[in-house]
Amino acid sequence: FAGEVENHMVTCDVDEIIARAPGLALHRDELAGRAMLCVKTDVFPVECVMRGYLAGSAFKEYKATGTLAGERLSAGLKESSRFDPPIFSPATKAETGHDENITVAHVGKLLGASEAATLERLARLVYTRGRELAAKRGIVIADTKFEFGRDADGRVLLIDEVMTPDSSRFWPADQVVEGQAPPSFDKQPLRDWLAAERAAGRWNGEAPPPALPDDVVAATSRRYLEAFERLTGSPLDITRLP
């Protein structure tokens, strides 16, 4: 994205991190391979969600009301229907509980029309590039969310994670069928288990969450590892991780 979308990363090299922040020298082993030094920003209080397909909370709302964040969508859509063009579908950044889908007009009221337009433009650019790259590797990025912040120099920076299985819905391209929920490479096993815990009254949705069973951890890890191999073309050697 050189020259198009600036981001908050300064360096991932542990020696450079310590050179810039000498007080971290005692934690070198903990930081190596696990941390990045970033530019501090004032974070925009909006999750910039891009939806290429009808899934998740969007499908749940559409099935009930025919809308997304209260705005009417085309009739006759099904689960996993493709959006052309993709939909910019922002959400609030909730301090507790779940984020709430909001309209683009609402973002304009929160941030101003110019800022809202900038965030949508950048989110569309990053999502379009990302899904094109993933498609070459046999992965559909059904939806994803971005975060942006403004630094001390006034620049709008892309921050936090970008198109990871934690922030996106990854589907195998050869298994996407309209009207069905495809298998995913994301944290769906975790979502499903937590939903069951809430439905059973064993968790109220607030921090701290319940301890995860080993089988849920293993199922989620397998999906992440397969997604990594598909995107990079080689398996992740977890024995070499810090």
Side-chain angles (χ1 to χ4, degrees):
F1 296 108
E4 295 180 284
V5 183
E6 297 182 275
N7 66 70
H8 69 330
M9 189 180 79
V10 176
T11 181
C12 291
D13 183 278
V14 69
D15 292 322
E16 291 183 22
I17 292 174
I18 292 172
R20 290 171 178 263
L24 296 175
L26 294 176
H27 305 284
R28 190 184 193 287
D29 291 344
E30 299 168 64
L31 297 174
R34 300 177 61 89
M36 67 166 68
L37 185 66
C38 299
V39 175
K40 185 176 182 179
T41 70
D42 289 325
V43 181
F44 292 107
V46 173
E47 298 277 8
C48 294
V49 181
M50 291 298 306
R51 299 186 184 278
Y53 290 77
L54 184 58
S57 64
F59 175 64
K60 182 178 180 180
E61 179 183 338
Y62 178 80
K63 186 167 61 172
T65 64
T67 62
L68 174 56
E71 296 190 304
R72 184 69 52 184
L73 295 181
S74 301
L77 297 178
K78 303 176 181 178
E79 186 170 16
S80 305
S81 286
R82 180 182 170 96
F83 292 130
D84 283 312
I87 293 177
F88 177 60
S89 172
T92 59
K93 284 180 58 63
E95 293 296 329
T96 59
H98 292 282
D99 297 337
E100 179 183 352
N101 295 330
I102 57 177
T103 64
V104 177
H106 190 172
V107 178
K109 291 179 180 178
L110 285 174
L111 306 177
S114 177
E115 296 282 41
T118 295
L119 297 186
E120 179 174 355
R121 177 180 62 81
L122 294 175
R124 286 189 178 279
L125 173 59
V126 180
Y127 175 67
T128 299
R129 293 281 183 82
R131 77 169 182 171
E132 289 172 354
L133 173 64
K136 295 175 182 178
R137 302 290 191 178
I139 288 179
V140 166
I141 300 183
D143 53 45
T144 192
K145 63 180 180 179
F146 306 117
E147 292 190 57
F148 295 90
R150 187 180 294 282
D151 72 1
D153 295 325
R155 299 179 301 164
V156 175
L157 305 182
L158 177 63
I159 65 173
D160 201 43
E161 59 190 323
V162 178
M163 285 179 286
T164 68
D166 266 346
S167 63
S168 315
R169 205 179 306 270
F170 285 9
W171 292 341
D174 57 356
Q175 297 184 52
V176 179
V177 178
E178 191 175 34
Q180 300 178 17
S184 63
F185 295 123
D186 55 36
K187 56 184 178 184
Q188 198 60 46
L190 173 59
R191 291 191 188 104
D192 292 344
W193 185 79
L194 289 174
E197 290 296 288
R198 293 190 69 175
R202 291 188 290 266
W203 181 48
N204 64 3
E206 303 295 335
L212 297 177
D214 290 343
D215 61 324
V216 173
V217 174
T220 305
S221 296
R222 282 195 300 270
R223 291 174 180 230
Y224 283 26
L225 290 170
E226 185 174 352
F228 180 91
E229 184 169 355
R230 286 204 180 208
L231 282 173
T232 65
S234 60
L236 176 66
D237 183 0
I238 61 175
T239 64
R240 299 180 62 187
L241 294 179

